[in-house]
Amino acid sequence: MRHAVVMAGGSGTRLWPLSRGGRPKQLIDVVAGPDGGAHSLLAEAFARLETVLPADRIWVCTAARYGEQVRAALPRLRADRLVLEPVARDTANAVGLAAALVADVDPDAELAVVSADHVIRPVERFAAALTTAYDALAERPRSLVTLGVRPTTPATGFGYVRRGAPTGLPGVAEAASFREKPDRATAEAYLASGQYLWNSGMFVWRAATVLHALADHLPASAEGLARVVAVPAGPQRDAVLAEVFPTLPRISVDHAVLEPAATEPGRVLVADLDADWLDVGSWPALAQTLERVGEDAVAGLAVTLDSAGNIVFSDDPDHLVALVGLRDSVVVHTADVTMVCPVADAERVKQLLAAVEERHGSRFS
């Protein structure tokens, strides 16, 4: 059967001070809905999958410390579909753990892996692309299918995948190669060629295929995960997981699974996702989801005068943020932190948080 897992284990650093270690961005109501209200990225990701799958085949993988928040945010999530990582060991082990638990209940499972960080509109195009990827897997069961987003700009912040030979399946090609984040000139060439797609970080594969790939390329993780599912679900399995998981080698799923597979012609496929896709990994990215007030992106109570290009966010409905004559800045107000920085330095928020922690410990993180 077809299953999907939402990867929702973010650590809460890239949107600091709104997101914190105990309250990561995927659990905060920051995405505007059609009714004018707001909901979380995680809730949106779950609802998006429900257009393709029943709720009982949707899983969520997150850090153990977020478990109760995830349960509260997703009332339709089955209790036994929540995968809790005791510690962070990078994406290969998170995906491997999810695949092992899914395969334990459905050995023939086809598993989509999606992120809780994405905003994708319209949802119908996502549903069509995901269904196409599942259909491709039915035709080529050993394949690893990635969703590639049709680029609209020469973005330098994304990885790319180059289309290769056609497969005969509509909207699906072999993946010829993967490319890291390019410089501007290279990104412009990629866009002009029409051969490259943004690598969305969303995949569809058989759960067993991922586990076999880990056995080939990351045997320590494969052996550890096999120990976990060898015991019955419940407290005994939780105890083994807590013992084993911190010992697994830290590595990304791209390096552990996709890159080795890509050396075998035709093993990795790419399905086109022609939709508005936003990876909400920074304040400028989040700004694209916020209300526009003049030339500023605003959430919360704010007044701007002769200002432009700013990102203004306040999570206190009784606190007014007022700007005059300010250009291209990020202004974020929370109950205990006010953060101001140029938009051009928004990617340095993680560095700023590290400096705050060095001076004040974990009080503000």
Side-chain angles (χ1 to χ4, degrees), residues 62-289:
T62 191
R65 66 184 184 275
Y66 303 145
E68 290 307 315
Q69 293 182 69
V70 169
R71 290 187 181 97
L74 300 176
R76 295 188 303 280
L77 176 67
R78 268 179 45 170
D80 60 351
R81 298 311 193 230
L82 182 59
V83 180
L84 299 176
E85 299 174 87
V87 295
R89 299 306 293 171
D90 216 325
T91 55
N93 295 298
V95 170
L97 175 60
L101 296 178
V102 172
D104 187 49
V105 301
D106 183 1
D108 296 321
E110 298 172 339
L111 181 63
V113 178
V114 305
S115 172
D117 293 349
H118 298 167
V119 175
I120 305 173
R121 308 282 170 76
V123 69
E124 293 81 9
R125 293 187 186 177
F126 165 81
L130 187 63
T131 300
T132 294
Y134 279 125
D135 291 344
L137 190 62
E139 293 290 327
R140 297 193 183 190
R142 293 184 64 251
S143 295
L144 306 173
V145 187
T146 183
L147 297 187
V149 179
R150 293 186 188 179
T152 55
T153 62
T156 59
F158 302 140
Y160 286 72
V161 55
R162 182 168 66 88
R163 288 191 189 94
T167 62
L169 304 169
V172 181
E174 294 182 0
S177 61
F178 289 87
R179 294 288 185 265
E180 296 297 330
K181 298 174 183 178
D183 58 28
R184 179 75 181 189
T186 303
E188 289 174 349
Y190 287 173
L191 182 62
S193 74
Q195 297 179 359
Y196 288 83
L197 302 168
W198 289 332
N199 184 3
S200 72
M202 295 184 285
F203 314 102
V204 180
W205 41 39
R206 294 181 66 241
T209 299
V210 178
L211 297 174
H212 291 154
L214 290 177
D216 290 339
H217 304 292
L218 202 63
S221 288
E223 292 164 9
L225 295 172
R227 284 181 57 194
V228 172
V229 295
V231 297
Q236 185 179 357
R237 177 178 288 180
D238 294 342
V240 175
L241 178 62
E243 174 191 351
V244 168
F245 204 76
T247 71
L248 303 183
R250 187 187 294 267
I251 186 172
S252 73
V253 70
D254 297 81
H255 292 321
V257 176
L258 282 174
E259 290 178 5
T263 63
E264 182 181 339
R267 183 75 186 282
V268 181
L269 307 180
V270 57
D272 283 13
L273 172 58
D274 183 14
D276 293 329
W277 172 76
L278 180 64
D279 183 0
V280 185
S282 66
W283 280 107
L286 179 63
Q288 296 181 51
T289 73

Side-chain angles (χ1 to χ4, degrees), residues 260-348:
T263 63
E264 182 181 339
R267 183 75 186 282
V268 181
L269 307 180
V270 57
D272 283 13
L273 172 58
D274 183 14
D276 293 329
W277 172 76
L278 180 64
D279 183 0
V280 185
S282 66
W283 280 107
L286 179 63
Q288 296 181 51
T289 73
L290 304 182
E291 179 185 359
R292 306 300 300 188
V293 177
E295 297 183 55
D296 298 312
V298 175
L301 190 59
V303 174
T304 65
L305 177 64
D306 296 331
S307 299
N310 300 299
I311 302 166
V312 187
F313 197 105
S314 174
D315 66 355
D316 183 346
D318 298 318
H319 183 97
L320 173 66
V321 177
L323 311 181
V324 59
L326 196 65
R327 297 285 188 276
D328 303 321
S329 296
V330 182
V331 181
V332 182
H333 170 81
T334 68
D336 59 346
V337 177
T338 298
M339 190 272 291
V340 181
C341 75
V343 171
D345 285 330
E347 295 292 342
R348 300 180 63 194

